[in-house]
Amino acid sequence: MRYGLFGDIHGNLEAFEAVLEDLRRQGIDRLFSLGDIVGYGPDPNSCVDVIRKLSIPSVSGNHDWASVGRSDLDYFNPRAKEAILWTKKVLTEENKAYLKRLPLIIEGNNFQLVHGSLKKPADWFYILNFQEAENVFALMEKPLLFAGHSHVPIVFCKTEGKISCISDSRLNLKEEAKYIINAGSVGQPRDGDSRSSYVIFDEGKREIIYKRVKYPIAKVQRKIRKAGLPEIEAARLSAGR
Ligand code: ZN
């Protein structure tokens, strides 16, 4: 089985479509979303519609729950808050009901999915350093955890009691190790590369492959400006920050 895992679409339909097209070309068996389908971007409804139409299981992100009143708005900086309030205003009732029902954790055969962290998932912690990774490794019930939230693609590996950080685009999974795999972001990458990021997990080959996909950034920027969303959300897409 080959899985396609992606997250932090953030209402960026053009980026999402480019990633889906890339996944289709490679004949991936199953897709999963790591949350933050909405927020920041100009097409929250279309992105939720696609996820629902393709029946892609998704965990909730902080933006998903905040846009439907399930998560506290105080967590966000003023610009993110402004985008969430805009999203809340434009979301259809059907899509709001769908986002409200999203779970915090999804369990696969040998992996778990979460948006931020397994440590109090509704508090949306980031896994950015070895200490946080250590806390999460202790909570993992399966050898693999896929996450998003930071918008930065990175792998933490724990083997023989030691944690290391891996940023290779291809990775062979060791039998005895545990891994936290951040898929990066589809709709708002923040690692200095403006292309959408996602991962393929090849279960048979025990392999993780990071993919980057180009999409028409200028078109999305025009939509963001037209919608009256904060300018920074348009500008940062070209910088990948
Ligand atoms: Zn996000």
Side-chain angles (χ1 to χ4, degrees), residues 8 10 36 63 115 149 151:
D8 296 280
H10 282 295
D36 274 2
H63 286 255
H115 180 65
H149 198 34
H151 299 204

Side-chain angles (χ1 to χ4, degrees), residues 6-241:
F6 49 80
D8 296 280
I9 298 164
H10 282 295
N12 185 336
L13 182 65
E14 281 70 17
F16 188 22
E17 281 176 340
V19 164
L20 287 174
E21 182 53 39
D22 204 58
L23 283 158
R24 253 178 238 126
R25 269 201 300 271
Q26 302 178 65
I28 299 298
D29 306 300
R30 287 206 66 187
L31 305 180
F32 285 99
S33 151
L34 294 158
D36 274 2
I37 304 165
V38 305
Y40 298 129
D43 287 307
N45 280 311
S46 307
C47 291
V48 176
D49 288 345
V50 172
I51 291 263
R52 292 176 57 202
K53 196 170 135 215
L54 299 178
S55 304
I56 300 171
S58 181
V59 289
S60 177
N62 48 323
H63 286 255
D64 302 320
W65 271 15
S67 299
V68 296
R70 265 197 89 171
S71 223
D72 204 344
L73 273 182
D74 292 340
Y75 175 90
F76 298 91
N77 68 49
R79 287 190 307 263
K81 201 187 274 185
E82 189 182 334
I84 285 168
L85 291 171
W86 180 89
T87 302
K88 194 174 188 174
K89 205 170 65 197
V90 302
L91 275 174
T92 64
E93 287 308 313
E94 248 192 354
N95 284 340
K96 274 187 191 165
Y98 169 80
L99 292 174
K100 242 179 218 173
R101 287 195 305 268
L102 291 181
L104 288 168
I105 295 171
I106 289 179
E107 306 277 346
N109 279 341
N110 48 6
F111 59 85
Q112 293 176 289
L113 312 185
V114 74
H115 180 65
S117 169
L118 289 179
K119 183 176 90 180
K120 300 189 200 155
D123 284 353
W124 318 109
F125 288 108
Y126 290 91
I127 310 170
L128 293 173
N129 53 47
F130 285 8
Q131 183 54 56
E132 232 11 79
E134 178 70 74
N135 293 337
V136 173
F137 278 123
L139 295 166
M140 281 166 61
E141 289 164 11
K142 312 266 166 79
L144 302 179
L145 175 71
F146 291 94
H149 198 34
S150 68
H151 299 204
V152 176
I154 190 99
V155 174
F156 289 97
C157 169
K158 184 170 184 181
T159 178
E160 291 166 4
K162 273 198 219 108
I163 297 179
S164 59
C165 217
I166 305 165
S167 49
D168 302 348
S169 57
R170 247 189 150 88
L171 170 68
N172 276 99
L173 301 171
K174 291 184 209 142
E175 203 74 59
E176 68 286 357
K178 276 184 170 183
Y179 296 89
I180 299 168
I181 298 147
N182 192 308
S185 168
V186 170
Q188 195 193 81
R190 290 181 195 160
D191 62 335
D193 183 339
S194 60
R195 295 171 301 165
S196 298
S197 171
Y198 77 92
V199 296
I200 293 172
F201 166 39
D202 189 321
E203 203 176 21
K205 289 187 184 163
R206 296 191 54 80
E207 191 176 40
I208 298 289
I209 304 156
Y210 274 92
K211 305 285 287 183
R212 301 302 291 239
V213 184
K214 275 191 182 169
Y215 71 92
I217 292 177
K219 185 176 173 190
V220 182
Q221 290 173 320
R222 281 196 295 276
K223 283 187 179 179
I224 289 175
R225 292 180 179 123
K226 201 171 162 211
L229 283 157
E231 167 60 27
I232 177 79
E233 308 310 346
R236 69 192 307 175
L237 294 182
S238 357
R241 291 281 175 205

